[in-house]
Structures are given as C-alpha cells and as structure tokens.
Amino acid sequence: MRRVPAPASRRPRAPGRVVVLCGALALLAACGRSVADDGEGGRLPGAPTGVTAAAGSATSVHVMWNGLPAASGIGGYEVYRGTTKVKAVPAREHMVDVTRLSPSTTYVFTVRARGTDGRLGPRSRSVRATTPAAAAADHSAPSRPLDVRGRAVGSRAVQLSWSRSTDDRGVVSYDVYQGGTKIHSVGGSQTAAVVTGLRPGTSYAFTVRARDAADNLSPAGAAVRLTTAPGSDDGRATAPSSFRATTHQADGAYYLDLSWVPPRTDGVVTQYQIQLDGQPATSLVWGGTAPREKASYSFYLGREAGVGHRVRIRAMLPDGTWGGFSPERSVTTGKPRAPDRAVTTTGQPGAPDHAVTTGSPEHPTAR
C-alpha cells in the first residue's frame, strides 16, 4: 500500500455529523471503534446507533436499534422509557415491544449496551414515538395479509413482501414471525421487510400478521419458506450500490470524493468502512440522521498528481455484521474521471477484518 502523507491541518468538517471513528492511514491498535474508556483503563460498550421507535398499537411501541459487533463484548441491551428501564434483552436481540402504554401519548426512548462484565455503556440518542388514539369498542381484527412472498438474499438475509391488509379503523403495524416467534415489526404503511442475521444454508418459515390500534391481530398470512444460500457468499446483495469515486484538487492537495446508495434494510445503516488500496482507510459513523437515499464522503489523499488508488466500501448492517463490499473503483489524482468499472480483487470481501486505523481525513461530507 502506498502510504499517503497526512495533511498539515487535521480539522475534520462534517456537516452531516459524520463521526470519523478511525481515519486513514497509519495502523494503530490502540484506536478502538465500538467501545468507550470508562476512565479507569477499562472499556465500556459504545452507544447503540440506528435507534428507531414506532407505534405498534395505541398501547405499544416497537423499538429497534443496530447491534454492536460481537467483538465489542456485548452481554445484552437495556431499553429505557425516559429514565425508567422497561426492557432487557440478550445481545442477539435488537428489538423490543414496549407495552402497557397510554393512547395518544408521546414517549421518549433510549438504549444502552451492557458489557459481558455487567457494566453499562452510554445511552443512545433519544427517539420519540406517539401512540395513536384508542379505538372505542374495536373488536374487529384486520384482514389476513395476502400474496406473501420472499426471496433469499445471499446467505444471511431474506426479503419479504405482502399485500396491504384492510381494517375498519386502519392498520397500525405488521408483525413478522419466524416460526412462532415475532422477530420484527414495520409500520402500517409498509408492505415489505428485510430480515438479516440469518444462518447460511438454513431453511426458515416466515409469516406476517397485521395489527390495528386496539391490538387486534389478523390471522397469519400464508407461510413463506425460504432457504439461505450455503456457505459464506460475497454479500453483494447487502453491499452499498451506485458506488462512485472521483478526485478533486483544492489548495494544492487532492481529495477522494465518494458517493453511494446505502444497502436496503429495515434498520438504519449508520456505520461504513472505506478500504483504500486493499487496506482499511476510514471508519465512519453518522452521529445524527443517517442518509437513506444517498451518502457522500471526501477525504485527503495527498499532494502528488498521477497517483493511482483503488477504493471500495461496505456497511455495518443493523444486526451488527458487515455487509458485502461494493465493486472496487479506480481513481488517479490529477486525472479526469474515467467511466466506473469494477476491479476484480481477491480475499473474502464479505468478512469483517476488524482492522483499526487512525488519523483524520480532511473535508468529510455527508448528505
């Protein structure tokens, strides 16, 4: 790998609140990505990202968050309504239904990760959800979701879709079940879901049920039986798409400009890893609202013209695992952009390498 000199100024600017956890370009094992120092030389879990909350009925709210990587030493998660802990779940779970709430009320939720030693990390950002009004004497359940279908997305995910249910008062949410266990929930306006964190080469049966404000559940739609791909695939179905790479010059230096469309998931993708010339260069976490339609980022490359680089990117999925790498793009400093082309690479692009790096890229942007 060609070592890129660091710029004289290391003041990152992030209009979209991009947090550069570990930037390009020198390796340093002391730079941690998913943990925080507790002030006593120990390590605490990081704050969960991608936290969302949506009403499931007039008396319940569905809270989801992104799982932290297994290497973070996570023992479980705790969900808080205001300052009150309302749920505790094991590390493999990243969603809860908070029940026994009041109709027409706004609630604030946060999530904390608990280390395997029992210590709690910092709170996530706060999210709000408002329960709908209660329907008086509503005993009529929504209709069964029809035309339920799905497809396996590589070895670790499936996509499900269904036709909208009807209800005399309106559908508030749809619940997705794996066998007899509820594993996911989406809002009543959605008719699709992406389930990640599955095992390779495994058969699953999924059903969908509609729920109204009075917590009446529809009969389950027809079961969809899907088998994930065997082994470890390259994860291309979970990779960022429309990946583009160009360079520009400013103040005598060259910068790498990247743009991409986040992978499609039901959760929020907040973390990415950029690989430059076959090595991890920068890890990014959106500290505010993460982009869902298009993301972009720029960082310093150096002052020398005519230097070639290869770059690709992958996302941390909401279940805490790495998605696949995007196609690799080639750029040359000081050279007009050529049409994008994929570059064949070796290795296992779908597997996390847990490499950590340090430094601060210049001019980070996100939108």
Side-chain angles (χ1 to χ4, degrees):
M1 172 183 174
R2 181 187 181 91
R3 187 168 300 280
V4 180
S9 171
R10 291 180 177 271
R11 293 175 296 175
R13 294 178 290 186
R17 292 190 63 200
V18 179
V19 179
V20 183
L21 290 183
C22 296
L25 293 157
L27 294 177
L28 180 65
C31 179
R33 294 185 303 162
S34 304
V35 291
D37 200 314
D38 67 357
E40 300 178 354
R43 293 288 184 178
L44 297 177
T49 61
V51 182
T52 60
S57 70
T59 57
S60 66
V61 167
H62 183 72
V63 182
M64 291 177 59
W65 60 93
N66 290 356
L68 293 172
S72 302
I74 303 302
Y77 298 94
E78 295 184 358
V79 178
Y80 293 79
R81 186 188 69 235
T83 59
T84 302
K85 185 175 80 171
V86 292
K87 291 278 186 176
V89 297
R92 67 178 180 275
E93 297 183 19
H94 313 129
M95 55 154 276
V96 297
D97 282 317
V98 182
T99 58
R100 300 183 180 179
L101 303 178
S102 298
S104 302
T105 304
T106 299
Y107 293 92
V108 179
F109 299 93
T110 54
V111 182
R112 301 177 73 179
R114 185 179 66 252
T116 52
D117 59 3
R119 295 184 299 169
L120 287 170
R123 291 178 183 267
S124 69
R125 71 180 183 93
S126 299
V127 294
R128 287 174 167 76
T130 300
T131 53
D138 182 5
H139 301 293
S140 176
S143 65
R144 180 196 314 267
L146 299 177
D147 196 27
V148 184
R149 61 184 65 186
R151 68 182 185 92
V153 182
S155 63
R156 295 186 286 118
V158 299
Q159 292 181 349
L160 304 173
S161 65
W162 55 90
S163 297
R164 196 178 306 277
S165 296
T166 59
D167 184 73
D168 57 347
R169 306 292 176 88
V171 174
V172 176
S173 62
Y174 292 95
D175 297 338
V176 178
Y177 291 79
Q178 179 187 316
T181 303
K182 179 181 173 181
I183 60 169
H184 194 35
S185 181
V186 298
S189 62
Q190 293 183 236
T191 56
V194 178
V195 180
T196 60
L198 304 179
R199 296 176 181 271
T202 303
S203 296
Y204 294 92
F206 300 96
T207 53
V208 180
R209 303 178 73 179
R211 183 188 300 268
D212 65 16
D215 258 334
N216 295 311
L217 272 175
S218 76
V224 175
R225 301 184 184 278
L226 301 170
T227 301
T228 53
S232 178
D233 61 21
D234 62 5
R236 68 186 63 184
T238 57
S241 59
S242 300
F243 182 53
R244 301 289 183 265
T246 60
T247 63
H248 79 273
Q249 185 179 19
D251 300 324
Y254 292 97
Y255 297 85
L256 179 61
D257 303 323
L258 306 177
S259 66
W260 65 92
V261 174
R264 180 183 174 188
T265 66
D266 285 333
V268 182
V269 175
T270 60
Q271 183 173 343
Y272 295 88
Q273 182 192 75
I274 297 171
Q275 189 179 84
L276 187 70
D277 300 329
Q279 296 293 328
T282 300
S283 291
L284 311 174
V285 169
W286 258 262
T289 302
R292 289 179 177 267
E293 300 299 326
K294 184 178 180 180
S296 62
Y297 184 74
S298 297
F299 65 89
Y300 177 89
L301 283 177
R303 295 182 175 272
E304 185 179 351
V307 179
H309 293 284
R310 296 174 291 108
V311 61
R312 60 182 182 171
I313 189 171
R314 64 178 175 177
M316 179 72 75
L317 302 178
D319 61 16
T321 62
W322 286 110
F325 273 111
S326 68
E328 195 169 66
R329 306 300 184 192
S330 294
V331 296
T332 302
T333 56
K335 182 179 179 180
R337 172 181 170 178
D340 286 330
R341 63 183 182 87
V343 177
T344 302
T345 58
T346 59
Q348 297 179 345
D353 52 27
H354 303 295
V356 290
T357 57
T358 188
S360 295
E362 190 75 356
H363 308 306
T365 62
R367 58 180 180 269

